[in-house]
Structure formats: C-alpha cells, structure tokens
C-alpha cells in the first residue's frame, strides 16, 4: 500500500513538473551483497556467523537539479536483504531472507565532464525501510519469522558513479553504493534471546532517468 501511494505521488509530480528540464524520473535496478553486522549476546547458545548473500532490488528514482553541479534525489524500491549463517556446517547454507520497501531522500554532487560528456556523481541519502516479509530458510523448510522481526529500519546510503547523458536530456547512471541500517532487524523471541544483526548492503546500481523539455512561454 505504501509503495503504491509513493508511486502515485511520483507519477503526479512527473505530470505537474513535466515541462521542467531540471527534473528527471526513471527506474533503478540493484545487484548487491547483503549481510548483518553487530554483536550477539545469546548466553550459552551458539551465535550465528553471518556471511554475504546476493540480494536484488528494483524501483523508481527522481532527481531535481538545483544548480549545475548539485541537486536532490528521491527514490523508492523493493529491496532484498538478509544473510547466510553457519556456512560450512551444513550441505545447504541456511540464511535469513528479508524483503523491504525502501524510501530515500538525499543530495548529490556531480563534477564537470570527465569522460566524453559523462560526469562523476556522488550521492548521500537518508533511508527508511519497511519490512514486508522475513524468513529463515534451511535445506528442508522455510520458516516465517515476521513476528520475530522489527517492522522498520532506517539508515544512510552513499554512492559514487558515472552519469552518462543520452539524447541531450536523459541520463544513464551506473554507481557503486553502500547502505547501512542502524536498528537490530530481529525482534520478539529472537531479540529477547539476545540475537542481533543490523543491515548492511553494498553493490552496483543501474538507473535510467528520463528528462523533460524546457518550458516554452508564449
């Protein structure tokens, strides 16, 4: 529901700002590795040893250029997170699989042209993550642990990459990013037993943003 609402708001913004050359909106796709960081305090129980798992994401992104070199951006995406644990102990490495709807608001700075017309772009954003599903998966079953998970998280995202102009107004963006969460993802009985893990995600993002013609005054 929140994703549909945000999507609608972005579309309405696009329609109302469609004549502004500084406004761009489009799609993004993430290929990333995720895991958890932080300490555990599970008493006499064996602590899980977290390791990386592949996590995908896709969504929408909008940018508004305030000046030639910097501006603001807004994005929302479905994003997988989670981690493998106890690798090497079993033939099938068990893992946590958490799905979130992300929302982010940030600023960017881009340099002058460095390769052809391409520019180097730096982004820093605050993020908010709403949990939509969480599972613990091993070689014989998948357990729903939504009642033992925190329903939200927040964090910070930083990225660096290339912005490649296309057709004078569109942009192809390729960037590497890292996104860290600040809250323990576990809740309920798992949290009471001392299990802890905070989201960390890093990878490559590909985005295509559509620009708009300048407004013509009669």
């Amino acid at each position: 529901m929140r994703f549909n609402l945000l999507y609608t708001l972005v579309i309405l913004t696009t329609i109302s700002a469609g004549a502004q050359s500084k406004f761009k909106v489009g799609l993004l796709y993430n290929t990333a590795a995720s895991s958890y960081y932080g300490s555990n305090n599970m008493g006499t129980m064996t602590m899980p040893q977290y390791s990386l798992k592949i996590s995908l994401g896709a969504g929408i992104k909008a940018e508004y250029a305030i000046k030639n070199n910097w501006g603001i951006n807004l994005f929302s995406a479905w994003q997988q997170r989670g981690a493998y644990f106890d690798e090497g102990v079993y033939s099938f490495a068990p893992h946590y699989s958490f799905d979130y709807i992300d929302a982010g608001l940030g600023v960017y700075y881009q340099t002058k042209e460095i390769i052809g017309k391409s520019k180097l772009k730096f982004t820093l954003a605050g993020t908010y993550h709403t949990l939509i599903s969480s599972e613990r998966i091993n070689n014989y079953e998948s357990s729903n642990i939504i009642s033992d998970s925190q329903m939200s998280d927040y964090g910070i995202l930083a990225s660096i990459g290339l912005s490649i102009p296309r057709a004078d107004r569109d942009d192809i963006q390729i960037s590497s990013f890292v996104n860290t969460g600040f809250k323990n993802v576990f809740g309920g009985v798992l949290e009471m037993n001392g299990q802890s893990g905070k989201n960390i995600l890093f990878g490559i993002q590909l985005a295509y943003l559509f620009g708009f013609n300048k407004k013509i005054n009669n």
Side-chain angles (χ1 to χ4, degrees), residues 43-124:
T44 59
M45 297 177 63
T46 301
M47 294 185 296
Q49 300 297 314
Y50 301 128
S51 55
L52 298 173
K53 69 179 288 290
I54 299 300
S55 297
L56 306 177
I60 53 179
K61 181 178 183 180
E63 288 186 351
Y64 184 80
I66 297 176
K67 291 189 176 181
N68 290 335
N69 296 101
W70 65 283
I72 58 176
N73 57 31
L74 170 71
F75 61 88
S76 179
W78 159 77
Q79 180 64 58
Q80 296 176 329
R81 288 182 174 83
Y84 283 107
F85 62 95
D86 293 341
E87 278 195 303
V89 178
Y90 306 99
S91 58
F92 176 89
H95 60 278
Y96 292 105
S97 180
F98 283 47
D99 287 352
Y100 292 87
I101 295 298
D102 290 359
L105 177 65
V107 296
Y108 71 81
Y109 173 82
Q110 62 183 12
T111 65
K112 296 180 179 179
E113 297 172 353
I114 58 170
I115 303 175
K117 293 185 178 182
S118 300
K119 299 179 180 180
L120 195 61
K121 177 171 283 189
F122 303 87
T123 299
L124 184 65

Side-chain angles (χ1 to χ4, degrees), residues 169-186:
R169 60 183 183 179
D170 298 349
D171 274 348
I172 299 173
Q173 297 180 357
I174 304 172
S175 59
S176 59
F177 70 91
V178 60
N179 184 199
T180 61
F182 296 143
K183 291 177 63 177
N184 182 10
V185 302
F186 300 107

